[in-house]
Amino acid sequence: MSQSEAHHLQVIYQRLTSDIDRLTAQLADLSQSARAMKQQLSSEGHLDLGTFSDQLETFASIEANNRQIDTLNARHDTAVTRLAHAQFLLPQAYFAKLQLDFGDGDHEALYLGKVGYTDENTNDLIYDWRAPVADAYYANRTGATSYQANGRTIPVTVVSRQQFIIDHATLQQTIDTDAAIGDPLLLDVLASNRSGGLQEITATIQQEQNAIIRENSQPTVIVDGVAGSGKTSVLLQRVAYQLYRHRDSWTPADILILTPNAAFSRYIRGVLPALGEAEPLSTTYSNLVGSWGRRFGLTISTTHGNHLVELAEIIQAPLSKTPAGLAEDAYVQSSVHDSLLTRMQRAWRWLQAVGRLPEDVSQWLDWPALAHQLGLAELTLYDQLYLLIRFTTYQQTTTAALFVDEAQDYAADTWLFLTALYHNAELTIVGDHRQRLAGQAVTISDYFDPAKTAVLHLTTSYRATGEITQFFAQFAGDWQTTIQAVQAAGTPPRQLAAADLKTTLADLPATTDQSIGILTPSAKAAAELAERLPNAQLITSDGTRTVRPGINILPLTVAKGLEFDFAVVTDWEASFYQDPQFGNNRRYVAASRGTKGLLLLH
């Protein structure tokens, strides 16, 4: 282990420690100064507006006090941010080092951490992993490369790369990564126990993952990735990267993550705070539709039985009759040859211009009669919300970027609704087309402008051992010959007759800090099994529980996106897994949940 690197860590650690003490004292002094200024302003807080000269002096005094307050606030905010970064970096100041040659023959050392840190003269001591120059580290090679910064391509030669395992002031291990990014560290991370929520992967981001995280050529990014390829981790790293890239204009409140269920939301919680960012907003699709329905005065309890696909086509065609409930003088503001959508949008603008907008937009139109005019039996509340968003050209401005995980599970109506509502937002959509367990599959890219959409793929599976990866790949259809594994072979999956489950679980080589996932075909089967295993926890789609050490019981639909040290799949030969359309997809999903061991019970 390099003594110079150990010494460098000591220097940085001492700097962070001393800065924490100094900044803590500085904040205390600033608070005291603020209190003193407040008392002074209170004692002098009368306004002398007698003569014009008195007014000028009074206003000048107020302006001077405001400048003092602004200065105090700025110094306070800077100290708070710097203190937070120093405290955040103290357990692990950095994780990697780059030696770069910018063409002058000198080798410049750059240390990468989860956030950046400078000295008092703004010299970079630690570079943020999201900084443009850090892209040279994730390029997965030494030698000549380049990175993009401020719209320019910067050529550079990567002389060497190193990774570090650090515990506060102790340099535990140095890994040379000239050939590939952190293979030893990557394998060490992959071998760790899955005993809780999702792990952040900053130190082990691979080249294909890095390309997706930093993709910024198009506003819409669609990622199709194999099981275990780190799709969710990449999505969250991309959230952090986008917050860094737009740090002058975006906050976590401008981000929305769409998750498949509450258990999944809890599973990913904490990843972004581990990257130095606040937790962004997240919700499920049904909750999202419900919340937007309330904004339009509609109480939407279900999205089933909708007609969005038909409506998307119907409103593109002309409708000669005035839509039921709409004033005829509003509809005649446009040509009879225009589409229904165009005429309704113009009608809304006209009503707005003449001050005749409806007080209750949900009652603007006669929905039952309009359904008959459009050739439909009814218009559900979900249908009504979609039409109102389209007809009023509603502009959603609260979300700058929308991130959608497990995207393969969403039907066509979801993409029609999201593209209507979030057409001004950047979108990152992540899924695996082979993990759809039921329903009609859709091609997501069909709903987006191809000129503004980047479609990318992840084909390396990192999660499971080689044996498990090879086993689940046989059910992956067109992915089968694409999936690549990086881990060692490990223990082959075992198929057992459904004997006593408690005995089977007792024979697993799991330790107390490892997770076991028992996957059932249905929520009912999971609940019944949980009653027989009192020491297990039941994870449901609408509950708050997520993966923990010990035994976790959950239906396959909830297990998607989650991972366990050992996966036990019940009823492997049942009709659920023999379904002619989705059987292989279900086996692919179930068999890819375990990282170290896989048991299939007949």
Side-chain angles (χ1 to χ4, degrees):
M1 187 179 299
S2 171
Q3 291 300 315
S4 62
E5 290 301 342
H7 174 71
H8 179 80
L9 175 60
Q10 290 289 335
V11 171
I12 296 297
Y13 187 80
Q14 289 302 321
R15 157 77 68 166
L16 294 172
T17 303
S18 60
D19 280 0
I20 289 172
D21 293 338
R22 179 179 58 80
L23 290 166
T24 301
Q26 181 182 344
L27 285 171
D29 291 341
L30 288 171
S31 296
Q32 186 175 353
S33 297
R35 286 193 295 270
M37 181 176 292
K38 183 178 180 181
Q39 291 175 351
Q40 180 182 351
L41 293 177
S42 295
S43 62
E44 299 175 357
H46 64 283
L47 298 178
D48 190 349
L49 303 177
T51 66
F52 181 69
S53 177
D54 292 336
Q55 292 177 24
L56 289 180
E57 289 184 7
T58 298
F59 292 142
S61 176
I62 292 173
E63 181 62 25
N65 289 334
N66 285 338
R67 284 197 298 271
Q68 284 184 290
I69 293 172
D70 289 343
T71 300
L72 274 178
N73 286 337
R75 292 177 61 195
H76 177 272
D77 292 345
T78 299
V80 166
T81 300
R82 190 166 173 78
L83 176 60
H85 284 180
Q87 292 171 329
F88 182 71
L89 291 170
L90 198 63
Q92 183 193 33
Y94 45 84
F95 58 82
K97 175 186 176 181
L98 268 177
Q99 289 273 7
L100 299 180
D101 183 349
F102 287 90
D104 54 8
D106 291 335
H107 295 175
E108 184 174 339
L110 283 68
Y111 290 84
L112 305 183
K114 293 179 182 177
V115 296
Y117 201 77
T118 63
D119 63 16
E120 61 275 5
N121 298 317
T122 68
N123 296 313
D124 290 295
L125 300 176
I126 301 168
Y127 285 81
D128 195 302
W129 69 273
R130 299 165 289 186
V133 70
D135 196 25
Y137 170 74
Y138 294 113
N140 200 24
R141 63 179 181 271
T142 55
T145 186
S146 64
Y147 63 92
Q148 301 291 321
N150 300 320
R152 296 170 53 224
T153 299
I154 312 296
V156 66
T157 298
V158 178
V159 179
S160 66
R161 293 198 306 268
Q162 289 178 302
Q163 284 184 320
F164 307 110
I165 297 178
I166 289 171
D167 182 7
H168 290 78
T170 303
L171 178 59
Q172 296 181 333
Q173 189 176 356
T174 300
I175 303 168
D176 291 321
T177 58
D178 291 346
I181 295 182
D183 281 348
L185 182 57
L186 172 64
L187 294 175
D188 184 61
V189 169
L190 293 175
S192 61
N193 294 332
R194 268 62 174 181
S195 56
L198 187 69
Q199 299 167 306
E200 56 86 10
I201 60 168
T202 310
T204 58
I205 293 170
Q206 302 298 288
Q207 187 178 14
E208 64 173 358
Q209 297 171 330
N210 182 58
I212 293 169
I213 292 168
R214 295 175 185 266
E215 166 60 41
N216 56 27
S217 64
Q218 304 296 348
T220 299
V221 176
I222 300 175
V223 180
D224 193 14
V226 303
S229 59
K231 295 183 294 295
T232 300
S233 295
V234 167
L235 180 142
L236 295 174
Q237 301 281 154
R238 181 167 169 78
V239 172
Y241 173 75
Q242 292 289 66
L243 285 172
Y244 177 84
R245 180 168 166 254
H246 297 282
R247 56 193 177 278
D248 295 329
S249 54
W250 290 8
T251 70
D254 298 308
I255 301 291
L256 178 63
I257 302 176
L258 211 57
T259 63
N261 50 60
F264 189 90
S265 297
R266 193 170 184 85
Y267 182 67
I268 65 174
R269 190 175 302 166
V271 171
L272 283 159
L275 296 171
E277 300 288 354
E279 201 77 70
L281 303 172
S282 67
T283 189
T284 61
Y285 183 67
S286 59
N287 287 340
L288 176 75
V289 172
S291 66
W292 280 104
R294 288 189 291 274
R295 297 190 190 197
F296 282 81
L298 302 169
T299 303
I300 302 175
S301 59
T302 179
T303 58
H304 296 299
N306 68 80
H307 308 89
L308 266 62
V309 174
E310 298 97 310
L311 288 171
E313 294 186 7
I314 290 172
I315 62 178
Q316 296 299 332
L319 182 69
S320 57
K321 294 182 179 180
T322 302
L326 178 66
E328 187 171 349
D329 56 345
Y331 201 56
V332 298
Q333 301 302 315
S334 53
S335 168
V336 294
H337 301 294
D338 289 333
S339 69
L340 170 61
L341 177 61
T342 298
R343 298 191 72 178
M344 291 301 291
Q345 290 175 342
R346 288 178 180 170
W348 181 263
R349 290 196 297 270
W350 184 79
L351 290 171
Q352 190 175 35
V354 299
R356 287 171 51 187
L357 288 179
E359 293 184 7
D360 183 355
V361 68
S362 69
Q363 301 300 316
W364 177 33
L365 302 172
D366 183 342
W367 299 112
L370 178 60
H372 179 72
Q373 284 181 291
L374 300 181
L376 299 173
E378 66 169 345
L379 287 171
T380 68
L381 294 177
Y382 184 30
D383 295 334
Q384 295 171 32
L385 175 61
Y386 174 71
L387 289 177
L388 287 174
I389 290 172
R390 298 299 306 273
F391 289 167
T392 63
T393 63
Y394 181 78
Q395 300 291 310
Q396 188 282 138
T397 58
T398 56
T399 299
L402 176 68
F403 294 79
V404 183
D405 206 346
E406 298 295 335
Q408 74 284 337
D409 290 337
Y410 296 112
D413 64 280
T414 299
W415 304 114
L416 290 169
F417 183 81
L418 292 180
T419 52
L421 186 58
Y422 292 100
H423 56 277
N424 292 324
E426 294 188 14
L427 274 75
T428 299
I429 300 165
V430 173
D432 177 354
H433 69 278
R434 294 299 304 186
Q435 291 196 44
R436 188 173 182 88
L437 303 183
Q440 181 63 44
V442 298
T443 303
I444 298 172
S445 57
D446 290 347
Y447 297 87
F448 297 91
D449 182 353
K452 298 180 180 179
T453 303
V455 179
L456 305 172
H457 298 87
L458 290 169
T459 59
T460 303
S461 184
Y462 303 96
R463 177 191 296 145
T465 62
E467 287 278 5
I468 294 177
T469 302
Q470 183 179 0
F471 181 80
F472 71 68
Q474 66 182 303
F475 306 113
D478 55 336
W479 276 136
Q480 182 173 351
T481 58
T482 305
I483 296 175
Q484 305 172 48
V486 300
Q487 291 201 54
T491 304
R494 290 188 295 155
Q495 299 192 43
L496 303 174
D500 179 55
L501 185 57
K502 292 182 180 180
T503 303
T504 301
L505 294 174
D507 290 339
L508 285 177
T511 60
T512 56
D513 60 344
Q514 292 179 320
S515 59
I516 299 172
I518 303 181
L519 315 182
T520 65
S522 67
K524 179 182 178 182
E528 291 173 350
L529 184 57
E531 292 182 0
R532 292 163 45 198
L533 298 174
N535 293 329
Q537 75 155 351
L538 176 65
I539 302 178
T540 60
S541 61
D542 55 354
T544 58
R545 294 173 176 174
T546 190
V547 181
R548 72 175 189 188
I551 300 174
N552 306 266
I553 302 174
L554 63 168
L556 184 63
T557 52
V558 179
K560 281 201 302 182
L562 308 183
E563 56 187 28
F564 305 88
D565 293 299
F566 297 88
V568 179
V569 184
T570 67
D571 303 305
W572 180 250
E573 296 295 338
S575 58
F576 177 78
Y577 290 109
Q578 300 290 336
D579 182 84
Q581 183 177 3
F582 294 105
N584 275 346
N585 286 22
R586 294 166 181 172
R587 289 191 165 194
Y588 168 61
V589 173
S592 61
R593 296 308 98 193
T595 62
K596 299 181 178 69
L598 175 63
L599 284 180
L600 309 169
L601 302 185
H602 292 236

